[in-house]
Amino acid sequence: MIINQTGPIVENFYSIGHPAIPVYLMDGVSPIIFDAGFTFLGELYVADIKKIIGDRQVEYLFLTHSHFDHCGSVSILKQHFPLMKVVTSKTAKNILGRPNAIQLIKALNQASETIVADIGMELTSFDKFTPFEIDETVKDNDILKVSAGLNIRILETPGHTADCLSYYIQKQKILISSEAAGQSDRTGYIVSDCLYDYDQYFNSLKRLSLLDIKILCPGHLFVYTGDDAKKYLKASMIECERFRELVERCLVEEDQDLERVKIRIKHIEYDHFDGPKQPEPAYLLNLEARIKAVAKRMNNTCNRKESVLKVN
Ligand SMILES: [Zn+2]
């Protein structure tokens, strides 16, 4: 099944807030949540969580990576759940300790308030993003025993970013991959989100596809269950190779001109799509990083001394 709304997914596991930018809640003896969305949705996340857990505390918040749309409301959540421990990778902790990263996260969250109407929402939090403490860092293959029967396996899945973690809830076979598994738009096209490194991204995808998964949460819009979860990961790998081949072909045909390659790929994967969709400047920024990741790989495989890419 492909689920495109918030609410219960299986017993005790919920998508919270808004399907485009959800927080995932695993309820139990010790409720835990995954990711923290946009700042302006903070109060909505809190209200939805409280509807389910009542007066109890959230024990852990697990962040998949330090992108602004995954950590935007940590401080708001922490105000309401002061005992909540925030968990990230060591790399994410380093990034979130840099003043320029904090400035960027704050600015992007503020800029995102303009999409509120597009996603059929009203502003719920007028708070601005503020930095937060990270209580614990985890690494690949750590198993965090949250409570009896609730174990979380940590997988380092770099490629989308350097700091990406995926979380695997062992008993229920739930994988919170975030964009390490790519991102489907509303047409079903899977955007290969290899912003940081193409080969690392593909290898992370391959690793995730070998897990026994019943529920897959790629972080935006959709949750996949049963066969659809397996199908999605397979399709994401195929799409990833297809994207690489497309970029490689365009780089050759456009004489490695980055701007011309961007226009061609944008035409294929963005222009035709009515939306609501990512704002164009954000899409173009990400597209450039994805093209550069493929170009870097071409450089390495060709063993060229000079970059294949022309940047004007
Ligand atoms: Zn991201």
Side-chain angles (χ1 to χ4, degrees), residues 9 14 16 18 39 62 67 69 79 111 127 151-152 163 167 173 180 185 194 219 222 226 251 287 296 302 305:
I9 295 164
Y14 304 82
I16 292 289
H18 190 282
T39 309
F62 296 97
H67 272 166
D69 55 337
Q79 278 166 32
D127 306 70
N151 295 341
I152 314 289
D163 64 358
Y167 298 99
K173 299 180 178 167
D185 67 20
C194 50
F222 305 109
L251 283 166
L287 177 60
K296 188 178 94 184
C302 301
K305 288 202 174 72

Side-chain angles (χ1 to χ4, degrees), residues 44-227:
L44 177 69
Y45 300 134
V46 170
D48 279 1
I49 292 167
K50 285 190 172 173
K51 269 182 217 159
I52 296 161
I53 70 167
D55 291 337
R56 291 177 295 143
Q57 279 287 311
V58 173
E59 179 106 8
Y60 284 104
L61 161 58
F62 296 97
L63 293 179
T64 57
H65 60 301
S66 57
H67 272 166
F68 74 102
D69 55 337
H70 293 262
C71 67
S73 66
V74 175
S75 297
I76 299 170
L77 287 157
K78 199 123 192 187
Q79 278 166 32
H80 290 270
F81 307 112
L83 302 178
M84 180 182 82
K85 293 184 274 296
V86 181
V87 180
T88 67
S89 63
K90 219 174 187 174
T91 313
K93 185 175 180 171
N94 289 339
I95 293 169
L96 290 164
R98 294 179 200 150
N100 57 348
I102 295 297
Q103 278 313 315
L104 182 65
I105 293 167
K106 190 174 179 179
L108 291 173
N109 266 291
Q110 211 157 333
S112 301
E113 292 178 2
T114 56
I115 70 153
V116 169
D118 277 354
I119 62 169
M121 301 287 300
E122 284 176 25
L123 274 186
T124 61
S125 295
F126 294 95
D127 306 70
K128 297 294 164 235
F129 176 85
T130 50
F132 51 87
E133 290 292 312
I134 287 148
D135 301 288
E136 285 182 33
T137 59
V138 285
K139 60 180 191 315
D140 200 37
N141 282 323
D142 280 354
I143 293 176
L144 231 132
K145 295 182 194 314
V146 177
S147 56
L150 180 56
N151 295 341
I152 314 289
R153 183 175 154 206
I154 314 296
L155 295 107
E156 288 178 5
T157 46
H160 172 58
T161 59
D163 64 358
C164 262
L165 293 180
S166 296
Y167 298 99
Y168 183 61
I169 306 174
Q170 290 183 313
K171 194 176 164 198
Q172 290 86 351
K173 299 180 178 167
I174 299 171
L175 176 67
I176 291 106
S177 64
S178 191
E179 291 119 322
Q183 206 54 71
S184 173
D185 67 20
R186 284 186 172 83
T187 67
Y189 171 76
I190 300 173
V191 176
S192 299
D193 239 339
C194 50
L195 303 179
Y196 174 68
D197 185 283
Y198 178 86
D199 282 329
Q200 287 186 30
Y201 177 85
F202 188 78
N203 290 335
S204 293
L205 251 181
K206 206 164 158 186
R207 186 177 180 206
L208 295 178
S209 74
L210 298 175
L211 294 170
D212 184 8
I213 299 166
K214 280 195 173 155
I215 294 166
L216 173 68
C217 304
H220 300 287
L221 291 173
F222 305 109
V223 171
Y224 302 83
T225 69
D227 280 349

